[in-house]
Amino acid sequence: MGPLTLSADAKTSSAAPSDLSNRRMQNLHLEPRKAFASVSMGEEKPFDFFRILFEGVIAGGTAGVVVETALYPIDTIKTRLQAVRGGGKIDLKGLYSGLAGNIAGVLPASALFVGVYEPTKQKLLKMFPENLSAVAHLTAGAIGGLAASLIRVPTEVVKQRMQTGQFASAPDAVRLIVTKEGLKGLYAGYGSFLLRDLPFDAIQFCIYEQLRIGYKAAACRDLNDPENAVIGAFAGALTGAITTPLDVIKTRLMVQGSANQYKGIIDCVQTIVREEGPPALLKGIGPRVLWIGIGGSIFFGVLERTKRMLAQMRPLHSQQPKQD
């Protein structure tokens, strides 16, 4: 009984503050501070890759379809502005031309992007120190964009050819492009697409994640849906403006078809500047910033809401701490 007596005495002795201090130190070791990580996980929890992948696929696909359906006409106007050469006028008819075929590509592309981005982001946040969380977000965004480009590029080629009136339907577009240009025709402008979309994805998601971290730290609470939407709009609009010249180059290379008036990215830039002047590289910046700003608001708002709903549907025994 001696040890029990000593233990009881210790709780009432002057050593109690020391015991409390020790327990606090143990708690600090068990729960390291993650001030800049957008995902909070206890170290004892296993990394559930497949659940994160599944939830990312569902959330990303849902957000992508909602955005594309709502903002397709603005995207069509932007594409026609960029495709027209010189001072030509654009046609405002058929602004939803190619929507169905585009959704068929946007759904898997958005699902694949977020499905790759989410687990990659969470793994990198655990690997990198807190002060390098932005690098984790940039890297995860670029990796997600690279994976999604395998679906995005053919979808974008077909969509933009239809938006500029070259084809009447998505199946006809695919069939005729492959017949005239081969399978590589569906990947026209792939290099310029990566040149635009990898920086775009990396920058947009990094800005979004970092702004959310800063806002949460200042507000000392989780963000609500309108706040996520406003941050998403700002991140999208800013990134859209920065990458407009890359978008113009990508559009010109994708819609040129078998004419091959541009020999590559460098030749495209030189030809545009020589024939139309440097301002031509900013064609469509207004619709693009508007489209991506509103799109960012809708996309990130829907994304966060869907992720939260999926997290609430998890079985109790497999739930992980809340994700941002």
Side-chain angles (χ1 to χ4, degrees):
M1 297 297 292
L4 292 176
T5 303
L6 287 172
S7 178
D9 291 343
K11 290 180 182 178
T12 58
S13 70
S14 61
S18 177
D19 291 340
L20 289 173
S21 177
N22 289 336
R23 281 196 292 273
R24 290 194 188 99
M25 291 299 294
Q26 290 174 354
N27 288 336
L28 287 174
H29 287 299
L30 290 173
E31 299 177 0
R33 186 168 59 90
K34 296 284 185 180
F36 293 94
S38 63
V39 179
S40 176
M41 280 189 257
E43 292 187 1
E44 74 280 359
K45 297 285 185 179
F47 181 75
D48 194 343
F49 172 81
F50 290 106
R51 178 169 292 279
I52 297 170
L53 173 66
F54 171 76
E55 292 181 356
V57 165
I58 299 298
T62 301
V65 169
V66 171
V67 170
E68 197 67 22
T69 302
L71 302 179
Y72 195 79
I74 300 176
D75 183 38
T76 300
I77 293 173
K78 182 269 301 181
T79 298
R80 291 177 181 176
L81 280 171
Q82 292 178 342
V84 68
R85 304 184 68 180
K89 296 181 179 180
I90 65 169
D91 185 6
L92 295 179
K93 296 179 181 179
L95 295 182
Y96 272 99
S97 177
L99 175 62
N102 195 50
I103 287 179
V106 166
L107 175 58
S110 298
L112 180 59
F113 175 87
V114 181
V116 171
Y117 172 79
E118 284 294 333
T120 303
K121 175 188 75 173
Q122 295 189 31
K123 272 292 187 184
L124 291 175
L125 286 171
K126 294 178 70 175
M127 294 168 55
F128 290 168
E130 293 173 350
N131 61 341
L132 292 181
S133 64
V135 178
H137 295 137
L138 281 168
T139 305
I143 293 174
L146 183 62
S149 69
L150 299 176
I151 301 174
R152 280 178 174 174
V153 173
T155 301
E156 190 82 354
V157 169
V158 171
K159 178 192 75 173
Q160 294 194 336
R161 300 280 182 94
M162 292 185 66
Q163 287 176 331
T164 53
Q166 296 183 33
F167 303 105
S169 68
D172 284 345
V174 173
R175 178 174 57 82
L176 292 173
I177 289 172
V178 172
T179 299
K180 293 181 179 180
E181 305 170 44
L183 190 60
K184 67 178 183 180
L186 291 174
Y187 285 89
Y190 186 73
S192 63
F193 184 91
L194 292 182
L195 180 66
R196 181 203 70 171
D197 269 42
L198 293 192
F200 179 90
D201 291 329
I203 294 170
Q204 182 185 30
F205 274 76
C206 180
I207 292 174
Y208 173 73
E209 299 276 15
Q210 293 296 309
L211 285 176
R212 290 186 76 234
I213 291 170
Y215 192 98
K216 286 179 66 175
C220 298
R221 59 173 175 80
D222 290 330
L223 276 61
N224 56 38
D225 291 334
E227 290 168 336
N228 285 324
V230 170
I231 292 174
F234 179 80
L238 179 60
T239 310
I242 293 171
T243 58
T244 294
L246 302 177
D247 190 48
V248 172
I249 297 166
K250 183 269 307 177
T251 297
R252 293 292 182 92
L253 290 173
M254 281 187 169
V255 303
Q256 67 178 333
S258 56
N260 290 325
Q261 63 198 64
Y262 306 114
K263 297 177 182 179
I265 295 174
I266 296 177
D267 179 62
C268 182
V269 174
Q270 292 174 339
T271 302
I272 291 173
V273 172
R274 182 177 64 252
E275 296 181 355
E276 304 170 57
L281 291 172
L282 294 177
K283 277 189 172 184
I285 189 172
R288 177 171 168 80
V289 169
L290 175 65
W291 166 55
I292 296 180
I294 299 174
S297 173
I298 298 172
F299 182 88
F300 286 110
V302 173
L303 180 71
E304 298 298 340
R305 168 60 69 90
T306 307
K307 285 165 57 179
R308 189 162 59 250
M309 290 173 60
L310 291 170
Q312 292 170 352
M313 293 168 60
R314 295 175 187 168
L316 291 177
H317 64 83
S318 65
Q319 282 192 1
Q320 296 178 350
K322 181 172 61 180
Q323 300 177 20
D324 287 340

